[in-house]
Amino acid sequence: MNYAETLGAKAKAAEKAMRCASTEEKNNALREIAEALKQNTEEILAANETDLVEAEKNGMSAAMQDRLRLTEARIKDIASGVMDVIKLEDPIGAMDGGSLRPNGMRITKIRVPLGTIGIIFESRPNVTVDAAVLCLKAGNTVILRGGKEAYHSNKCLCEVMRAAVERSGLPADAVQFVDDTTREVTSQLMKCSDYLDVLIPRGGAGLIRAVKENATVPVIETGVGNCHVFIDETADPDMAVNIVDNGKTQRPSVCNAIESLLVHENIADKVLPLVKARLDAHNVEIRGCEKTASILGDCVVPVTEEDYATEFLDYIISVKVVKDIDEAISHISKYTTGHSECIVTNSLANAEKFRNEIDAAAVYVNVSTRFTDGGMFGLGAEIGISTQKLHARGPMGLRELTSMKYLIDGNGQIR
């Protein structure tokens, strides 16, 4: 039995207790976690500082360091997020349909836990807590494999959570940490099909591609966000600038930040200088087409096909001037990762056309893509943003961490 299988066996042993735990028992475990996070803030920050020192030494970008950084305020927010999950309705046992058959059989369809969930993720230590508490509330066990850049932070957070879960009376092995960031162990986890019911990668394109190509465990694809904003010729310029600025600069290192801007040629002369003026405040690099350069000048870096396909996660944006909405939709359809796409328009017809023809988990009209978030959608914390179409799509909350079971009652019916 290899290392990943050992973790899997422990998780399976804890499954029954989690599957049968009452809502109150699970909520008690979450209360313990929230309190433990606050009580162990200094220890968590010390572990995070170790990671930040290594990150700076290794040349990690400022945006990615911000993604990694924990502060006292952020830990309080994480603990508050745990308490928010307590308030959410427990999906387990909820009836999701049923029928009374002509022969008298009564069929009931109910929500049950998925079982044991493996999560492979990068950079953001808050994901460690978000993922664990959502899995626990939905009655699952979870094995967490974070990136080496956040190793000390993730290990400390998991130790704090395991102790808290055990104090609540539930098994500590409901939450486990992969204490080895080598590729060999990650590969073991991807092939741990005897123990894992599902594997969820949350991170960059390279990670997700590696998991999809190598896993024998069922995979729910999340995370990669090559998100676009299209400014239609009817758009309100001030609204357009605000949405682009928010989508690009409010937190550029997250998957719902925008990476590409498309502008209708009839409004480009007016709106692009306004966009540039706002983005200049954050030193955003503009990689644009020839028309963009003719409007904005030498500050524009010539754009490449690779740029249009890139999730920068940084203060960089690709820009293209398009002749109409059809060209915008064609461009987005070619480069989208199916995450979040936005149109800024005052045309109802164009809004409906964009909604109908864009294939993405979230399609926005006159709203920043930064709202693709479980909390913003009223789902509480999220396990990630699913960009696939099977089982779950968009922000994955509690319901998406469940499966179905059919209960059949009768009085001796045979076939």
Side-chain angles (χ1 to χ4, degrees):
M1 184 177 284
N2 62 36
Y3 176 71
E5 290 171 338
T6 300
L7 295 181
K10 291 179 180 179
K12 281 296 177 189
E15 259 192 33
K16 182 179 178 181
M18 291 306 304
R19 185 169 60 247
C20 299
S22 68
T23 300
E24 189 54 34
E25 287 173 322
K26 292 182 289 187
N27 284 343
N28 282 340
L30 300 196
R31 287 189 192 96
E32 289 283 355
I33 288 173
E35 187 59 32
L37 290 171
K38 291 183 285 188
Q39 289 182 355
N40 291 275
T41 294
E42 289 187 12
E43 180 183 349
I44 295 167
L45 290 178
N48 184 242
E49 183 61 28
T50 301
D51 290 328
L52 287 168
V53 169
E54 287 295 315
E56 187 170 2
K57 189 184 302 182
N58 293 330
M60 181 184 284
S61 71
M64 294 304 288
Q65 286 187 51
D66 178 64
R67 189 181 175 98
L68 172 61
R69 181 173 288 105
L70 290 174
T71 63
E72 186 173 347
R74 285 185 179 180
I75 292 173
K76 285 182 179 178
D77 286 343
I78 293 170
S80 178
V82 176
M83 296 303 293
D84 288 340
V85 175
I86 291 173
K87 300 171 188 174
L88 298 175
E89 184 177 351
D90 187 350
I92 301 305
M95 193 169 77
D96 217 36
S99 63
L100 179 63
R101 303 302 298 151
N103 67 354
M105 284 194 316
R106 186 177 299 276
I107 301 175
T108 307
K109 185 179 180 184
I110 65 166
R111 290 271 161 190
V112 295
L114 282 171
T116 295
I117 300 173
I119 302 177
I120 302 177
F121 58 100
E122 298 173 331
S123 293
R124 294 168 62 192
N126 64 292
V127 174
T128 306
V129 179
D130 290 348
V133 300
L134 281 169
C135 287
L136 292 175
K137 179 70 181 257
N140 299 291
T141 61
V142 61
I143 297 174
L144 299 159
R145 192 282 193 192
K148 62 183 179 181
E149 67 281 353
Y151 173 81
H152 297 92
S153 306
N154 292 335
K155 183 176 181 181
C156 182
L157 288 167
C158 281
E159 288 172 352
V160 168
M161 288 191 292
R162 281 173 58 83
V165 170
E166 193 165 40
R167 281 195 300 274
S168 78
L170 292 175
D173 285 339
V175 179
Q176 293 186 84
F177 175 65
V178 179
D179 195 7
D180 186 326
T181 58
T182 62
R183 289 185 178 181
E184 180 185 356
V185 170
T186 304
S187 180
Q188 290 175 7
L189 198 64
M190 293 180 196
K191 301 183 186 305
C192 203
S193 52
D194 288 341
Y195 300 98
L196 292 183
D197 293 287
V198 67
L199 189 60
I200 303 174
R202 179 169 173 172
L207 168 68
I208 293 172
R209 182 170 57 251
V211 173
K212 285 174 62 182
E213 291 175 354
N214 295 289
T216 58
V217 179
V219 174
I220 297 178
E221 183 180 346
T222 74
V224 179
N226 189 16
C227 305
H228 301 74
V229 169
F230 168 50
I231 301 176
D232 184 36
E233 63 179 326
T234 66
D236 175 85
D238 290 336
M239 178 191 294
V241 170
N242 287 337
I243 286 174
V244 172
D245 180 36
N246 181 255
K248 180 72 262 183
T249 70
Q250 197 253 350
R251 199 169 182 187
S253 63
V254 294
C255 61
N256 58 21
I258 67 165
E259 305 294 6
S260 290
L261 170 63
L262 306 174
V263 184
H264 194 292
E265 62 183 10
N266 290 347
I267 199 173
D269 285 339
K270 180 177 183 179
V271 80
L272 277 176
L274 298 176
V275 168
K276 178 185 179 300
R278 187 72 68 85
L279 296 183
D280 279 350
H282 300 273
N283 297 313
V284 176
E285 178 182 310
I286 296 175
R287 300 182 183 180
C289 65
E290 290 182 4
K291 290 182 179 178
T292 303
S294 70
I295 295 170
L296 297 181
D298 294 340
C299 68
V300 176
V301 177
V303 72
T304 65
E305 287 293 309
E306 184 179 356
D307 289 330
Y308 285 137
T310 298
E311 183 187 28
F312 297 112
L313 300 174
D314 204 346
Y315 292 99
I316 304 169
I317 191 169
S318 62
V319 181
K320 183 177 184 179
V321 177
V322 296
K323 64 180 180 180
D324 55 26
I325 188 172
D326 288 314
E327 185 180 354
I329 290 173
S330 177
H331 180 96
I332 292 170
S333 298
K334 181 177 180 179
Y335 295 106
T336 185
T337 54
H339 194 295
S340 301
E341 307 295 358
C342 169
I343 183 174
V344 186
T345 184
N346 279 321
S347 165
L348 180 59
N350 284 351
E352 286 305 303
K353 180 180 176 68
F354 194 84
R355 282 193 180 113
N356 291 335
E357 296 185 22
I358 291 295
D359 186 12
V363 180
Y364 291 85
V365 176
N366 299 332
V367 186
S368 170
T369 61
R370 286 286 289 115
F371 285 98
T372 308
D373 177 280
M376 295 295 98
F377 280 19
L379 304 175
E382 68 186 29
I383 210 79
I385 309 296
S386 172
T387 53
Q388 47 121 65
K389 298 182 183 180
L390 297 178
H391 174 66
R393 195 180 195 195
M396 292 180 61
L398 290 174
R399 187 178 178 86
E400 287 70 34
L401 296 177
T402 65
S403 184
M404 308 306 308
K405 179 189 283 187
Y406 286 90
L407 305 178
I408 302 94
D409 293 289
N411 53 4
Q413 288 90 340
I414 60 174
R415 184 176 179 182

